[in-house]
Amino acid sequence: APAGSGKTIIAAAALAKVVASRPRTVAVRLGWVANTLEQCQQAKAAISLFDALKRNLDAKIACAAAGTDWSDRDVLVVDESHHSPAPEWRRQIETCKGARWGITATPDAEGDDAWQRDAAMKELFGPERFVVDRDEVSSLVTKAKVVLLEASDPGLREVMDSEIAKLYAWRSKRWGGDLQKLRAMCMWQVCVERGIVTNKARNEAALAVAQDHVWAMDSTLVLVNQVEHAQFMADELGGVACYSGMGAKARRHALYDFKQGKLKCVVATSLADEGLDIPIASVLVLVSGGRSRAKAEQRTGRVLRAFAGKERAIIYDFADQFHPLMAKHSIARQEVYRNLGYEIDL
């Protein structure tokens, strides 16, 4: 189902229908595995909406990181199931010999090993796929407008290419694998450090649009790659940096204030790429870059949940024409946005 459409509630509704289909003398033993504590809380909230589940369910909910044994469960729901082929996920999912349900916005794998990951998904969950399209949940998902920004320091491409060449030359002396893969890794590392994190013009453009919306009292989410970058942006915007190492209690407090409208800006790392339920958020500033179709859909989904008074979500991204690799990544993200039906303001 689309990012932002409330997949936990959809799954709980389907489960309630199955559970209520016949009288039961013994509770259905449900397992529910998620990626974060926040997603576990969302699962509990979704289950509580349905009387059939309150009466007839023995639920055990846990994060994948806990490595739970699910062998005593009749059914296992796996949230963000595109992670399932990963060894630490797969091992625990396979302990459940009952029914397995996977829910995700991005079921199709990417990369050279995509066919292996797709095969693993079919092995874990079976070949059937039930698709909830965007039209079916149009009342739950708001429209989105993408605004492309362009910002660059003069001569940045030459600086980046020089650093890429030096890094590649140094690493290739100790590298025993595919040199083409090594070059791609070096290019992306320099793109992140020089093209994104320390790109003054790019940061200023991101801060400018984010600050305008914060001043306008719009709930604004900024997504970055690194913790230090998140802290810098949050300090400049008067917001809070959210990342996995900040502590669960502090993170819950910050996200609660954001959801309640008390805090107008959160700057987050990959922690917020998926499963973060913040319907009030109406503005997204994507500083993180990259070419992943799945990440582009998941990240933009953070601001797509419908909310009272939200007419549309505004997403800021970068054209990044100052370097060929980053421009190529930007074009890939734009193609994702078009396929999702977002309006793009060039």
Side-chain angles (χ1 to χ4, degrees):
S5 61
K7 286 179 291 298
T8 53
I9 296 176
I10 293 172
L15 186 66
K17 186 173 182 178
V18 173
V19 169
S21 63
R22 61 181 174 86
R24 298 179 184 275
T25 56
V26 178
V28 174
R29 296 169 299 176
L30 168 71
W32 194 301
V33 60
N35 197 29
T36 65
L37 288 172
E38 285 80 7
Q39 288 173 308
C40 289
Q41 293 299 323
Q42 291 173 31
K44 292 177 183 177
I47 289 170
S48 70
L49 296 175
F50 301 93
D51 290 339
L53 301 184
K54 293 178 186 177
R55 296 191 303 267
N56 299 293
L57 206 64
D58 168 19
K60 180 166 68 174
I61 302 172
C63 286
T68 306
D69 184 332
W70 303 101
S71 58
D72 64 337
R73 301 289 95 181
D74 300 313
V75 58
L76 179 64
V77 176
V78 181
D79 198 357
E80 307 295 0
S81 58
H82 52 274
H83 294 301
S84 299
E88 62 272 20
W89 282 65
R90 183 167 184 167
R91 279 192 295 270
Q92 58 183 293
I93 293 170
E94 288 177 333
T95 64
C96 177
K97 304 305 179 185
R100 300 173 188 156
W101 294 10
I103 55 176
T104 178
T106 53
D108 298 315
E110 298 176 287
D112 296 337
D113 64 343
W115 68 272
Q116 293 174 310
R117 295 175 65 82
D118 286 338
M121 288 280 282
K122 290 180 181 178
E123 186 176 341
L124 289 170
F125 301 106
E128 287 189 288
R129 180 183 293 184
F130 300 91
V131 179
V132 178
D133 65 36
R134 197 165 293 274
D135 290 339
E136 292 180 274
V137 289
S138 58
S139 63
L140 303 175
V141 181
T142 191
K143 294 181 179 178
K145 177 182 180 180
V146 178
V147 179
L148 292 177
L149 306 173
E150 175 58 46
S152 172
D153 291 331
L156 185 56
R157 176 179 176 178
E158 288 74 16
V159 172
M160 291 174 64
D161 285 342
S162 175
E163 291 194 8
I164 290 167
K166 291 177 182 178
L167 184 61
Y168 175 76
W170 180 75
R171 287 188 174 177
S172 61
K173 297 175 182 178
R174 302 165 179 79
W175 181 261
D178 185 343
L179 289 175
Q180 187 173 356
K181 184 175 182 180
L182 174 62
R183 183 176 292 278
M185 291 167 59
C186 293
M187 290 181 71
W188 178 236
Q189 181 177 332
V190 173
C191 281
V192 170
E193 291 294 336
R194 278 287 190 178
I196 297 177
V197 176
T198 62
N199 186 336
K200 182 180 178 182
R202 199 176 188 275
N203 283 332
E204 288 178 349
L207 287 170
V209 294
Q211 191 67 75
D212 284 346
H213 284 285
V214 171
W215 284 338
M217 302 302 287
D218 297 325
S219 294
T220 304
L221 176 65
V222 182
L223 294 184
V224 300
N225 291 306
Q226 299 179 359
V227 172
E228 293 78 8
H229 201 192
Q231 292 171 330
F232 163 73
M233 300 287 279
D235 289 344
E236 293 292 314
L237 293 168
V240 174
C242 280
Y243 50 94
S244 57
M246 70 184 296
K249 185 176 181 181
R251 186 168 64 249
R252 283 198 302 271
H253 284 171
L255 293 178
Y256 177 81
D257 287 346
F258 190 51
K259 292 177 183 179
Q260 297 299 311
K262 299 176 183 177
L263 175 66
K264 288 302 177 184
C265 181
V266 162
V267 185
T269 59
S270 57
L271 168 79
D273 277 4
E274 58 188 35
L276 189 63
D277 185 24
I278 41 174
I280 196 173
S282 59
V283 177
L284 174 67
V285 183
L286 271 177
V287 184
S288 45
R291 66 175 181 180
S292 169
R293 173 194 54 79
K295 287 185 178 181
E297 183 169 357
Q298 293 279 4
R299 287 167 177 167
T300 56
R302 298 315 101 214
V303 293
L304 295 187
R305 185 70 62 85
F307 190 77
K310 186 201 294 190
E311 295 182 2
R312 70 167 62 193
I314 301 177
I315 299 164
Y316 291 94
D317 199 349
F318 285 85
D320 288 332
Q321 296 178 10
F322 58 89
H323 192 275
L325 179 62
M326 295 191 67
K328 182 178 179 181
H329 288 183
S330 176
I331 291 170
R333 295 195 303 275
Q334 292 173 48
E335 184 63 24
V336 173
Y337 302 151
R338 290 190 182 92
N339 291 337
L340 292 171
Y342 300 171
E343 177 188 347
I344 300 181
D345 185 348
L346 301 175

